[in-house]
């Protein structure tokens, strides 16, 4: 269920990106504290890429992102990276160590691949919610009502509607 949920969220993002003009994708948005939709998209992509690229090593540091400007300026390039991510999600669960430097001190925390996939899904949804705020300023862009909404919230709403 986890991988189909991630695939679904990333497909929603692709559907949205396919509707945006270059300007809507790459220009700063006041609603995003002058970040762009492209910057938020790049951030989503690069978090998944960190997990993918560091999987074999077994130590994941999300701060070691490429910060590829082309992803944040070219929606088609971003979509190609999203498709690659979707194709590479199926991996065996294994223990992973998270590494981060906080206030000059290295910390390491035990985790596993599936837990990190879940983290990345929640992180993706969070940034989609931010993107949705900016999208409301774009005319002629159709966004699913559940775009940027946590899966648990969607389930809760569905239960309330019955």
């Amino acid at each position: 269920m986890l991988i189909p949920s991630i695939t679904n969220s990333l497909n929603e993002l692709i559907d949205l990106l396919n509707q945006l003009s270059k300007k809507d994708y790459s220009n700063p948005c006041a609603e995003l504290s002058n970040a762009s939709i492209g910057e938020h998209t790049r951030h989503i992509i690069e978090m998944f890429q960190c997990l993918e690229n560091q999987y074999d090593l077994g130590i994941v540091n999300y701060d070691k992102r490429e910060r590829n400007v082309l992803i944040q300026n070219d929606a088609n390039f971003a979509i190609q990276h999203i498709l690659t991510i979707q194709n590479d999600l199926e991996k065996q669960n294994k223990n992973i160590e998270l590494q981060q430097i906080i206030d000059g001190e290295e910390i390491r925390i035990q985790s596993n691949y599936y837990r990190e996939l879940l983290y990345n899904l929640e992180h993706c949804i969070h940034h989609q919610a931010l993107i949705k705020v900016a999208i409301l300023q774009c005319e002629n862009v159709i966004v699913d009502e559940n775009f940027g909404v946590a899966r648990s919230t969607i389930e809760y709403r569905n239960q309330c509607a019955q």
Side-chain angles (χ1 to χ4, degrees):
M1 191 66 203
L2 179 58
I3 290 176
S5 292
I6 293 169
T7 300
N8 183 54
S9 285
L10 293 174
N11 282 337
E12 290 173 349
L13 183 57
I14 289 170
D15 291 344
L16 177 72
L17 298 182
N18 278 322
Q19 298 180 63
L20 298 179
S21 69
K22 180 169 176 45
K23 178 183 174 200
D24 288 337
Y25 181 73
S26 60
N27 281 5
C29 301
E31 298 80 15
L32 298 175
S33 300
N34 288 322
S36 67
I37 292 169
E39 286 175 273
H40 282 270
T41 301
R42 176 190 52 77
H43 186 67
I44 292 167
I45 290 168
E46 290 185 341
M47 295 293 280
F48 277 105
Q49 287 175 333
C50 277
L51 182 56
E52 164 67 21
N53 295 339
Q54 299 170 38
Y55 173 87
D56 288 337
L57 180 63
I59 300 172
V60 176
N61 184 330
Y62 290 113
D63 293 335
K64 293 184 178 178
R65 297 186 305 278
E66 185 178 346
R67 293 170 172 87
N68 186 333
V69 177
L70 190 53
I71 293 173
Q72 75 188 39
N73 290 326
D74 184 338
N76 290 322
F77 190 68
I79 289 169
Q80 292 309 308
H81 282 277
I82 293 168
L83 293 171
T84 299
I85 289 165
Q86 289 175 318
N87 288 330
D88 293 339
L89 289 171
E90 291 279 350
K91 290 188 178 14
Q92 186 167 348
N93 193 25
K94 72 174 197 175
N95 289 333
I96 289 178
E97 199 170 52
L98 295 178
Q99 177 191 45
Q100 192 168 1
I101 307 295
I102 298 177
D103 296 331
E105 297 290 323
E106 179 184 295
I107 63 164
R108 290 186 180 225
I109 299 171
Q110 292 299 311
S111 187
N112 65 61
Y113 179 64
Y114 290 165
R115 172 63 188 97
E116 293 310 305
L117 280 180
L118 179 61
Y119 166 75
N120 273 280
L121 172 61
E122 294 297 322
H123 180 262
C124 176
I125 292 168
H126 165 73
H127 280 273
Q128 286 175 326
L130 294 169
I131 290 169
K132 191 174 189 177
V133 171
I135 291 300
L136 297 176
Q137 308 306 313
C138 299
E139 295 180 15
N140 302 322
V141 175
I142 299 168
V143 62
D144 186 277
E145 67 182 72
N146 290 325
F147 183 84
V149 179
R151 297 294 179 255
S152 60
T153 302
I154 295 167
E155 191 173 311
Y156 175 76
R157 287 177 182 169
N158 289 338
Q159 288 174 357
C160 290
Q162 293 177 2

